[in-house]
Amino acid sequence: MNISQEAITLLETLVEEKLVNGLKLTTTEYRPVTAYQVSEKGMQFLNSLPNSLFQEINSFVYAPHAPMVDTELLHVSFIQDSFIIKTQSGYSRESSVTDIEDVSYVVSPHIPSCLLTPLAKHFRNNAHRAHEASVGMSNIRDKKFREAVRLSGVKVVVGEWVPLGANGIVQLNDKLNARNRCQGGLFSALIDKTPMDMCFRMAPGLTSVKVIDYKYVRHSNLEVEVVMPEESGIVQIEVLGLHINMDGTIYQGCSMEAIMNRSKDDVSLDFLARVLVDIQLDSNKVLHDLLTGYHRSLLDVMYMKDALNRAKYNIVITEKIHPFKKAMEYADRGWFENEIKQVLGSLQTAEDLSSEDVLILGRDGLLLAGPSSDQLEPYIFHYASLKCREEFVSNLFLRTFVLKEGIEKIHQIIQQHHTDPSNLNRIQSALSEASSNIFQIYEILDYLESSLDDSIKPPPPQDSMCKKLVSILSTESLTSNIMNRVEDMRKLIQGAKKILANLMDDTDVITTAKLEDVFNNIDQNVKYLVEASASNARGAASLNVMQIVLAGSFCFAIIDRISGATFSFNPPNWAYDYIFQPIIDKPGVFFALNIIWLLICSYGLLRFMNYLQDSAMGTLTLRVTINKKLKSKKGMETFFSTKALDNLESEIWVGNPTVRMVEWEETDEEKWLGSAPFIEFAYDATNLFLLSLELSIDKKTSTATEEVLNVPSVRHAVLGFEAAHPAVMQLFSCLDDDRKLGLCGLLGDFFFSFCFLVYLTVRFLLCSR
């Protein structure tokens, strides 16, 4: 954020004078923050001031051109990476406190000589292009600078530590073709997902890399030209030196040639602070292009997917500082300190190394001024590498708290898993993510420990100035502190791992309980199905008996009609001659004929019912699981538009793909050899996957069987939209033209009964006339 250092100093002064209370708090990301409140002493002091002093304050805290009432008092909220200033009455505007102010500058690449090998190539020198910065523009809003400190011959290096190892350096050198003739080139972290296409399109912004020197397993020294789009009129010639070490230490440095209209011998700290912000952001993008996906994933876990905005440690080395004073005079809590805090953060100490050399240490960096900087560089950069590790350890320590908070949230969801059916899915997803984060943090800790063992220490100091510098920096003590913190964090992660294991056990218990519920429900459903099946069987038996009884009643009614027993008039003579006397009058004959007639009709009825049952069940069903990717959604929709869909069902679950099932009946019976089939498709509408297919065809009227493959008519009918899935083509039956299914046997069995009934009916009608 663009914050005034003078304002921070004045606020700290008010806290020291007890005019303002400072309350130390912690954010949700476990970062320290301070809340300020006017104390009673401060209120008394404000009451003693004249009202004329409050006009400027009121114009700042109230909406512009608005009355000074509570509804017009400005409030601040943070929405989508920006601060919004608004009032209750409706006034709103976006704050510019997070806007980055760019300046025009020209820099040349620089890497400290202590990090180069004797065979290193020469860096390019952009001194001849320094005039380009003077014709460039800037977007600085406050054009009035009060300069307290100016620098000459400035070299800037930004350092950081990332989890890296020997294999990472080897992979980087191979990626850069360091051992080949054509080294370096343009680099990007983008992945070519369509390597067969003729062109690759991307947004502007590339990194050009040149190999200066390397040790295949130890380090790489590179010259990096950053080409990023800037606002119109802003000129930035940004070529950096990049040192990547096996122990994870990374430095990106440059020497200032010009910033705006200021030459390298007259560098303003206000301008330099803005250049450092730009270099830090661009260096993050450069490193993002060079690192492997695995190392980028570790940084994403560490910085919670905000790795491109991670802070770095600033090392400013200058030949001269103007005005030159005793070191402690720069830490005056006033003008000088405010200027230097823009680059180094809160000052921690300032020491005189000699009559011409000054060292100033801050929270975010250090400044070394004097002609002996080259001699002191090995000790300075060894200290800087440890400070980079310390900063990384601090961020990792905060990350462990975030991890612990996530585990506590999982515990809360487990306690309330019964309140939401989707809680189990959320628990399993959160457990998987937490487990992955724990293992990756373990890997980061291993990298930290090995980096401290692999780091190369500078030679012991020989002169008094170097000895004094080593005493001030206390690198041995700093190394020991880092090791202790790493060991402590390992214990924290082990504790989090044990808690996570307990939560996994609890989740297994919940899953087992849900499975038991499912099994119990299945058992109950099976019992219901068994009871229903038995009831249906009893009902079917009763129905068969009733059918036979009704058939017998119908048969006896026919006999009565033929014999005339139920007529309201006397039967004709022929009935006495041919029916009553020979059949009815003789004992037992008429009864025997009735029983025989009943058996014949019942047998015919049973055969006819069996025929109807066989007609309903003679279906050939083919089912296949496909799980093949569809080529295009448009082609699928075009295919479905040609079908008369009978049913469309969708299964939608939160967090899962949408499964749709469509059904239709084919219309071309000739193409399907006698009977058009009924087809059901199940597909994943989210990921465009064909899941399964079911085809039902009436095999009594169709000659289709299960032995034919790759029939063109079948393939065209079902795969008209994407005829490119062999798994689908292999599911269909073979069509056998020689096989025919007839009903002659069944009709022959029923023919006698039917003809006999027709004969008796016709005979009765003729005789009645």
Side-chain angles (χ1 to χ4, degrees), residues 10-153:
L10 293 175
L11 186 58
E12 291 174 349
T13 302
L14 293 175
V15 174
E16 290 179 349
E17 297 296 331
K18 306 297 182 181
L19 298 176
V20 173
N21 297 326
L23 178 62
K24 302 298 181 180
L25 302 172
T26 303
T27 66
T28 56
E29 297 179 352
Y30 294 94
R31 296 188 179 274
V33 65
T34 305
Y36 296 98
Q37 178 192 47
V38 179
S39 64
E40 294 183 0
K41 181 179 179 181
M43 294 295 296
Q44 295 175 0
F45 176 75
L46 291 175
N47 292 332
S48 65
L49 297 177
N51 293 331
S52 58
L53 297 179
F54 291 91
Q55 295 179 359
E56 186 175 356
I57 301 298
N58 291 334
S59 65
F60 178 77
V61 298
Y62 287 98
H65 311 294
M68 291 181 292
V69 295
D70 292 343
T71 57
E72 299 296 336
L73 190 64
L74 296 177
H75 298 271
V76 181
S77 60
F78 190 73
I79 303 175
Q80 295 181 350
D81 299 333
S82 61
F83 289 95
I84 304 298
I85 301 176
K86 57 184 179 180
T87 64
Q88 296 179 1
S89 61
Y91 171 81
S92 177
R93 75 171 188 269
E94 184 177 345
S95 173
S96 59
V97 70
T98 56
D99 293 344
I100 298 176
E101 297 180 342
D102 289 327
V103 295
S104 298
Y105 61 86
V106 177
V107 298
S108 297
H110 169 72
I111 292 179
S113 58
C114 61
L115 302 177
L116 297 170
T117 63
L119 300 178
K121 302 175 184 178
H122 293 289
F123 288 105
R124 78 172 73 176
N125 191 340
N126 291 325
H128 63 285
R129 303 184 63 180
H131 64 280
E132 298 182 28
S134 60
V135 299
M137 302 175 61
S138 71
N139 56 9
I140 300 177
R141 293 183 297 273
D142 187 5
K143 302 294 184 179
K144 298 179 181 179
F145 289 129
R146 293 191 308 162
E147 295 183 359
V149 179
R150 292 175 294 108
L151 306 177
S152 298

Side-chain angles (χ1 to χ4, degrees), residues 620 669-676 697-708 711 733-742:
L620 174 65
E669 295 184 352
E670 180 180 358
K671 180 173 60 178
W672 293 93
L673 303 180
S675 176
I697 190 168
D698 188 0
K699 64 180 181 180
K700 297 183 300 300
T701 58
S702 173
T703 58
T705 61
E706 301 181 8
E707 289 81 20
V708 171
V711 178
S733 304
C734 182
L735 304 181
D736 187 358
D737 294 333
D738 296 332
R739 180 181 177 183
K740 296 181 180 179
L741 178 63

Side-chain angles (χ1 to χ4, degrees), residues 105 107 124 126 129 185-188 190 202-210 223-231 234-240 252 278-279 281-287 289:
Y105 61 86
V107 298
R124 78 172 73 176
N126 291 325
R129 303 184 63 180
L186 297 174
F187 286 87
S188 173
L190 298 177
M202 59 177 296
L206 286 173
T207 302
S208 176
V209 178
K210 174 185 175 183
E223 180 183 280
V224 180
E225 182 177 4
V226 182
V227 183
M228 298 291 179
E230 301 290 346
E231 293 185 14
I234 296 179
V235 178
Q236 293 183 351
I237 311 301
E238 189 176 5
V239 186
L240 306 176
Q252 300 193 54
D278 191 65
I279 291 176
L281 294 176
D282 291 344
S283 63
N284 287 336
K285 298 175 183 177
V286 168
L287 197 61
D289 292 337

